[in-house]
PDB file of all heavy atoms in Angstrom:
ATOM      1  N   SER A   6      -3.605 124.760  42.250  1.00  0.00           N
ATOM      2  CA  SER A   6      -4.940 124.232  42.025  1.00  0.00           C
ATOM      3  C   SER A   6      -5.093 123.584  40.675  1.00  0.00           C
ATOM      4  O   SER A   6      -6.078 122.918  40.402  1.00  0.00           O
ATOM      5  CB  SER A   6      -5.975 125.350  42.149  1.00  0.00           C
ATOM      6  OG  SER A   6      -5.781 126.304  41.131  1.00  0.00           O
ATOM      7  N   ALA A  29     -39.510 145.171  16.269  1.00  0.00           N
ATOM      8  CA  ALA A  29     -39.230 145.007  17.691  1.00  0.00           C
ATOM      9  C   ALA A  29     -40.087 143.951  18.364  1.00  0.00           C
ATOM     10  O   ALA A  29     -39.582 143.150  19.140  1.00  0.00           O
ATOM     11  CB  ALA A  29     -39.384 146.352  18.405  1.00  0.00           C
ATOM     12  N   SER A  62     -17.664 111.183  53.264  1.00  0.00           N
ATOM     13  CA  SER A  62     -17.392 109.878  53.847  1.00  0.00           C
ATOM     14  C   SER A  62     -16.730 109.003  52.783  1.00  0.00           C
ATOM     15  O   SER A  62     -17.268 108.848  51.683  1.00  0.00           O
ATOM     16  CB  SER A  62     -18.690 109.217  54.328  1.00  0.00           C
ATOM     17  OG  SER A  62     -18.443 107.911  54.815  1.00  0.00           O
ATOM     18  N   ASP A  80      13.294  86.758  52.694  1.00  0.00           N
ATOM     19  CA  ASP A  80      11.901  87.150  52.490  1.00  0.00           C
ATOM     20  C   ASP A  80      11.114  87.080  53.791  1.00  0.00           C
ATOM     21  O   ASP A  80      11.273  86.143  54.587  1.00  0.00           O
ATOM     22  CB  ASP A  80      11.237  86.238  51.461  1.00  0.00           C
ATOM     23  CG  ASP A  80      11.859  86.369  50.075  1.00  0.00           C
ATOM     24  OD1 ASP A  80      12.471  87.428  49.816  1.00  0.00           O
ATOM     25  OD2 ASP A  80      11.739  85.422  49.269  1.00  0.00           O
ATOM     26  N   ALA A 104     -16.811 136.741  45.884  1.00  0.00           N
ATOM     27  CA  ALA A 104     -17.012 135.849  44.745  1.00  0.00           C
ATOM     28  C   ALA A 104     -16.980 136.689  43.477  1.00  0.00           C
ATOM     29  O   ALA A 104     -17.502 137.807  43.443  1.00  0.00           O
ATOM     30  CB  ALA A 104     -18.342 135.113  44.857  1.00  0.00           C
ATOM     31  N   GLY A 107     -19.190 134.090  39.926  1.00  0.00           N
ATOM     32  CA  GLY A 107     -19.611 132.816  40.484  1.00  0.00           C
ATOM     33  C   GLY A 107     -18.508 132.006  41.111  1.00  0.00           C
ATOM     34  O   GLY A 107     -18.775 130.985  41.745  1.00  0.00           O
ATOM     35  N   LYS A 115     -13.526 126.244  57.917  1.00  0.00           N
ATOM     36  CA  LYS A 115     -13.351 125.708  59.268  1.00  0.00           C
ATOM     37  C   LYS A 115     -13.457 124.191  59.210  1.00  0.00           C
ATOM     38  O   LYS A 115     -14.423 123.640  58.676  1.00  0.00           O
ATOM     39  CB  LYS A 115     -14.399 126.266  60.232  1.00  0.00           C
ATOM     40  CG  LYS A 115     -14.184 125.777  61.665  1.00  0.00           C
ATOM     41  CD  LYS A 115     -15.147 126.424  62.644  1.00  0.00           C
ATOM     42  CE  LYS A 115     -14.851 125.954  64.067  1.00  0.00           C
ATOM     43  NZ  LYS A 115     -15.768 126.579  65.051  1.00  0.00           N
ATOM     44  N   SER A 131       2.322  87.306  59.744  1.00  0.00           N
ATOM     45  CA  SER A 131       2.758  88.702  59.665  1.00  0.00           C
ATOM     46  C   SER A 131       2.641  89.418  61.014  1.00  0.00           C
ATOM     47  O   SER A 131       2.538  90.631  61.070  1.00  0.00           O
ATOM     48  CB  SER A 131       1.944  89.450  58.614  1.00  0.00           C
ATOM     49  OG  SER A 131       0.571  89.447  58.940  1.00  0.00           O
ATOM     50  N   TYR A 161      -4.402 129.587  44.851  1.00  0.00           N
ATOM     51  CA  TYR A 161      -4.877 130.184  46.091  1.00  0.00           C
ATOM     52  C   TYR A 161      -3.712 130.405  47.052  1.00  0.00           C
ATOM     53  O   TYR A 161      -2.816 129.564  47.152  1.00  0.00           O
ATOM     54  CB  TYR A 161      -5.897 129.276  46.777  1.00  0.00           C
ATOM     55  CG  TYR A 161      -7.289 129.344  46.197  1.00  0.00           C
ATOM     56  CD1 TYR A 161      -7.689 128.451  45.215  1.00  0.00           C
ATOM     57  CD2 TYR A 161      -8.209 130.283  46.644  1.00  0.00           C
ATOM     58  CE1 TYR A 161      -8.970 128.491  44.686  1.00  0.00           C
ATOM     59  CE2 TYR A 161      -9.492 130.341  46.129  1.00  0.00           C
ATOM     60  CZ  TYR A 161      -9.867 129.441  45.146  1.00  0.00           C
ATOM     61  OH  TYR A 161     -11.126 129.491  44.627  1.00  0.00           O
ATOM     62  N   ASP A 162      -3.745 131.533  47.754  1.00  0.00           N
ATOM     63  CA  ASP A 162      -2.875 131.745  48.899  1.00  0.00           C
ATOM     64  C   ASP A 162      -3.639 131.305  50.139  1.00  0.00           C
ATOM     65  O   ASP A 162      -4.849 131.530  50.254  1.00  0.00           O
ATOM     66  CB  ASP A 162      -2.473 133.221  49.025  1.00  0.00           C
ATOM     67  CG  ASP A 162      -1.590 133.673  47.877  1.00  0.00           C
ATOM     68  OD1 ASP A 162      -0.803 132.852  47.390  1.00  0.00           O
ATOM     69  OD2 ASP A 162      -1.706 134.837  47.471  1.00  0.00           O
ATOM     70  N   GLU A 167      -7.823 134.518  61.716  1.00  0.00           N
ATOM     71  CA  GLU A 167      -7.630 135.067  63.053  1.00  0.00           C
ATOM     72  C   GLU A 167      -8.178 134.099  64.101  1.00  0.00           C
ATOM     73  O   GLU A 167      -9.297 133.589  63.974  1.00  0.00           O
ATOM     74  CB  GLU A 167      -8.338 136.420  63.176  1.00  0.00           C
ATOM     75  CG  GLU A 167      -8.099 137.133  64.492  1.00  0.00           C
ATOM     76  CD  GLU A 167      -8.733 138.514  64.541  1.00  0.00           C
ATOM     77  OE1 GLU A 167      -9.265 138.941  63.494  1.00  0.00           O
ATOM     78  OE2 GLU A 167      -8.691 139.140  65.616  1.00  0.00           O
ATOM     79  N   LEU A 176      -0.557 123.582  55.490  1.00  0.00           N
ATOM     80  CA  LEU A 176      -1.427 124.218  54.512  1.00  0.00           C
ATOM     81  C   LEU A 176      -1.085 123.832  53.073  1.00  0.00           C
ATOM     82  O   LEU A 176      -1.898 124.011  52.166  1.00  0.00           O
ATOM     83  CB  LEU A 176      -1.352 125.745  54.653  1.00  0.00           C
ATOM     84  CG  LEU A 176      -1.638 126.315  56.048  1.00  0.00           C
ATOM     85  CD1 LEU A 176      -1.538 127.833  56.016  1.00  0.00           C
ATOM     86  CD2 LEU A 176      -3.005 125.877  56.545  1.00  0.00           C
ATOM     87  N   GLU A 183     -11.449 122.163  45.005  1.00  0.00           N
ATOM     88  CA  GLU A 183     -11.753 121.000  44.179  1.00  0.00           C
ATOM     89  C   GLU A 183     -12.944 120.204  44.684  1.00  0.00           C
ATOM     90  O   GLU A 183     -13.627 119.530  43.919  1.00  0.00           O
ATOM     91  CB  GLU A 183     -10.518 120.091  44.092  1.00  0.00           C
ATOM     92  CG  GLU A 183      -9.449 120.593  43.152  1.00  0.00           C
ATOM     93  CD  GLU A 183      -8.462 121.527  43.836  1.00  0.00           C
ATOM     94  OE1 GLU A 183      -8.845 122.141  44.861  1.00  0.00           O
ATOM     95  OE2 GLU A 183      -7.313 121.643  43.371  1.00  0.00           O
ATOM     96  N   GLY A 188     -14.280 120.681  38.388  1.00  0.00           N
ATOM     97  CA  GLY A 188     -13.628 119.948  37.318  1.00  0.00           C
ATOM     98  C   GLY A 188     -14.556 119.052  36.541  1.00  0.00           C
ATOM     99  O   GLY A 188     -14.192 118.537  35.478  1.00  0.00           O
ATOM    100  N   ALA A 196     -26.759 120.484  28.161  1.00  0.00           N
ATOM    101  CA  ALA A 196     -28.196 120.396  28.359  1.00  0.00           C
ATOM    102  C   ALA A 196     -28.535 118.977  28.774  1.00  0.00           C
ATOM    103  O   ALA A 196     -27.713 118.062  28.648  1.00  0.00           O
ATOM    104  CB  ALA A 196     -28.943 120.764  27.075  1.00  0.00           C
ATOM    105  N   GLU A 202     -16.618 114.479  28.141  1.00  0.00           N
ATOM    106  CA  GLU A 202     -15.451 113.853  28.752  1.00  0.00           C
ATOM    107  C   GLU A 202     -14.939 114.706  29.917  1.00  0.00           C
ATOM    108  O   GLU A 202     -14.962 115.932  29.861  1.00  0.00           O
ATOM    109  CB  GLU A 202     -14.332 113.675  27.721  1.00  0.00           C
ATOM    110  CG  GLU A 202     -14.702 112.777  26.543  1.00  0.00           C
ATOM    111  CD  GLU A 202     -14.976 111.350  26.966  1.00  0.00           C
ATOM    112  OE1 GLU A 202     -14.310 110.878  27.920  1.00  0.00           O
ATOM    113  OE2 GLU A 202     -15.862 110.709  26.366  1.00  0.00           O
ATOM    114  N   GLU A 222       1.381 116.256  63.883  1.00  0.00           N
ATOM    115  CA  GLU A 222       2.173 117.267  64.589  1.00  0.00           C
ATOM    116  C   GLU A 222       3.516 116.670  64.971  1.00  0.00           C
ATOM    117  O   GLU A 222       3.595 115.498  65.375  1.00  0.00           O
ATOM    118  CB  GLU A 222       1.419 117.718  65.836  1.00  0.00           C
ATOM    119  CG  GLU A 222       1.966 118.985  66.441  1.00  0.00           C
ATOM    120  CD  GLU A 222       0.983 119.601  67.418  1.00  0.00           C
ATOM    121  OE1 GLU A 222       0.014 118.917  67.792  1.00  0.00           O
ATOM    122  OE2 GLU A 222       1.205 120.756  67.802  1.00  0.00           O
ATOM    123  N   ASP A 226       8.698 112.041  70.720  1.00  0.00           N
ATOM    124  CA  ASP A 226       8.540 110.584  70.764  1.00  0.00           C
ATOM    125  C   ASP A 226       7.990 110.124  69.422  1.00  0.00           C
ATOM    126  O   ASP A 226       6.944 110.609  68.967  1.00  0.00           O
ATOM    127  CB  ASP A 226       7.566 110.222  71.888  1.00  0.00           C
ATOM    128  CG  ASP A 226       7.388 108.712  72.016  1.00  0.00           C
ATOM    129  OD1 ASP A 226       8.125 107.974  71.341  1.00  0.00           O
ATOM    130  OD2 ASP A 226       6.499 108.306  72.787  1.00  0.00           O
ATOM    131  N   PRO A 234      16.192  94.115  71.968  1.00  0.00           N
ATOM    132  CA  PRO A 234      17.578  94.558  71.782  1.00  0.00           C
ATOM    133  C   PRO A 234      18.168  93.972  70.501  1.00  0.00           C
ATOM    134  O   PRO A 234      17.994  92.793  70.191  1.00  0.00           O
ATOM    135  CB  PRO A 234      18.294  94.008  73.024  1.00  0.00           C
ATOM    136  CG  PRO A 234      17.211  93.846  74.042  1.00  0.00           C
ATOM    137  CD  PRO A 234      15.988  93.477  73.290  1.00  0.00           C
ATOM    138  N   PRO A 242       7.483 101.897  53.090  1.00  0.00           N
ATOM    139  CA  PRO A 242       6.847 103.034  52.417  1.00  0.00           C
ATOM    140  C   PRO A 242       5.482 102.678  51.850  1.00  0.00           C
ATOM    141  O   PRO A 242       5.206 101.526  51.517  1.00  0.00           O
ATOM    142  CB  PRO A 242       7.844 103.367  51.294  1.00  0.00           C
ATOM    143  CG  PRO A 242       8.531 102.069  51.013  1.00  0.00           C
ATOM    144  CD  PRO A 242       8.641 101.377  52.343  1.00  0.00           C
ATOM    145  N   LYS A 258     -16.543 109.619  31.668  1.00  0.00           N
ATOM    146  CA  LYS A 258     -17.615 110.130  30.819  1.00  0.00           C
ATOM    147  C   LYS A 258     -18.798 110.520  31.688  1.00  0.00           C
ATOM    148  O   LYS A 258     -19.350 109.693  32.421  1.00  0.00           O
ATOM    149  CB  LYS A 258     -18.037 109.083  29.793  1.00  0.00           C
ATOM    150  CG  LYS A 258     -19.081 109.583  28.808  1.00  0.00           C
ATOM    151  CD  LYS A 258     -19.422 108.512  27.775  1.00  0.00           C
ATOM    152  CE  LYS A 258     -20.445 109.028  26.776  1.00  0.00           C
ATOM    153  NZ  LYS A 258     -20.790 107.986  25.759  1.00  0.00           N
ATOM    154  N   ALA A 278     -19.166 107.717  34.485  1.00  0.00           N
ATOM    155  CA  ALA A 278     -18.565 106.395  34.303  1.00  0.00           C
ATOM    156  C   ALA A 278     -17.046 106.538  34.347  1.00  0.00           C
ATOM    157  O   ALA A 278     -16.479 107.389  33.651  1.00  0.00           O
ATOM    158  CB  ALA A 278     -19.009 105.787  32.980  1.00  0.00           C
ATOM    159  N   ASP A 280     -13.153 104.867  34.141  1.00  0.00           N
ATOM    160  CA  ASP A 280     -12.228 103.822  33.692  1.00  0.00           C
ATOM    161  C   ASP A 280     -10.865 104.482  33.524  1.00  0.00           C
ATOM    162  O   ASP A 280     -10.566 105.071  32.488  1.00  0.00           O
ATOM    163  CB  ASP A 280     -12.691 103.194  32.380  1.00  0.00           C
ATOM    164  CG  ASP A 280     -11.822 102.007  31.961  1.00  0.00           C
ATOM    165  OD1 ASP A 280     -10.860 101.692  32.690  1.00  0.00           O
ATOM    166  OD2 ASP A 280     -12.107 101.407  30.904  1.00  0.00           O
ATOM    167  N   SER A 296      13.916 111.463  54.392  1.00  0.00           N
ATOM    168  CA  SER A 296      14.815 112.485  54.903  1.00  0.00           C
ATOM    169  C   SER A 296      14.135 113.337  55.969  1.00  0.00           C
ATOM    170  O   SER A 296      14.760 113.710  56.973  1.00  0.00           O
ATOM    171  CB  SER A 296      15.311 113.364  53.755  1.00  0.00           C
ATOM    172  OG  SER A 296      16.148 114.394  54.226  1.00  0.00           O
ATOM    173  N   SER A 306      14.315 102.075  42.912  1.00  0.00           N
ATOM    174  CA  SER A 306      13.072 101.962  42.158  1.00  0.00           C
ATOM    175  C   SER A 306      11.904 102.073  43.120  1.00  0.00           C
ATOM    176  O   SER A 306      11.979 101.610  44.266  1.00  0.00           O
ATOM    177  CB  SER A 306      13.005 100.626  41.410  1.00  0.00           C
ATOM    178  OG  SER A 306      11.764 100.480  40.742  1.00  0.00           O
ATOM    179  N   ASP A 324     -30.691 125.600  40.773  1.00  0.00           N
ATOM    180  CA  ASP A 324     -31.073 126.930  41.249  1.00  0.00           C
ATOM    181  C   ASP A 324     -29.992 127.553  42.129  1.00  0.00           C
ATOM    182  O   ASP A 324     -29.698 128.740  42.027  1.00  0.00           O
ATOM    183  CB  ASP A 324     -32.396 126.853  42.025  1.00  0.00           C
ATOM    184  CG  ASP A 324     -33.532 126.362  41.142  1.00  0.00           C
ATOM    185  OD1 ASP A 324     -33.665 126.867  40.015  1.00  0.00           O
ATOM    186  OD2 ASP A 324     -34.272 125.458  41.576  1.00  0.00           O
ATOM    187  N   GLY A 326     -26.812 126.657  42.052  1.00  0.00           N
ATOM    188  CA  GLY A 326     -25.529 126.692  41.353  1.00  0.00           C
ATOM    189  C   GLY A 326     -24.433 126.000  42.141  1.00  0.00           C
ATOM    190  O   GLY A 326     -23.278 126.444  42.137  1.00  0.00           O
ATOM    191  N   SER A 361      -2.939  94.326  45.620  1.00  0.00           N
ATOM    192  CA  SER A 361      -4.240  94.236  46.277  1.00  0.00           C
ATOM    193  C   SER A 361      -5.353  94.544  45.292  1.00  0.00           C
ATOM    194  O   SER A 361      -5.149  95.199  44.266  1.00  0.00           O
ATOM    195  CB  SER A 361      -4.324  95.197  47.464  1.00  0.00           C
ATOM    196  OG  SER A 361      -4.301  96.547  47.022  1.00  0.00           O
TER     197      SER A 361
END
Side-chain angles (χ1 to χ4, degrees):
S6 65
S62 176
D80 295 337
K115 183 175 183 179
S131 61
Y161 281 93
D162 293 326
E167 185 176 354
L176 306 181
E183 283 88 336
E202 299 296 326
E222 195 164 13
D226 182 8
K258 184 178 181 180
D280 186 359
S296 178
S306 176
D324 298 313
S361 67

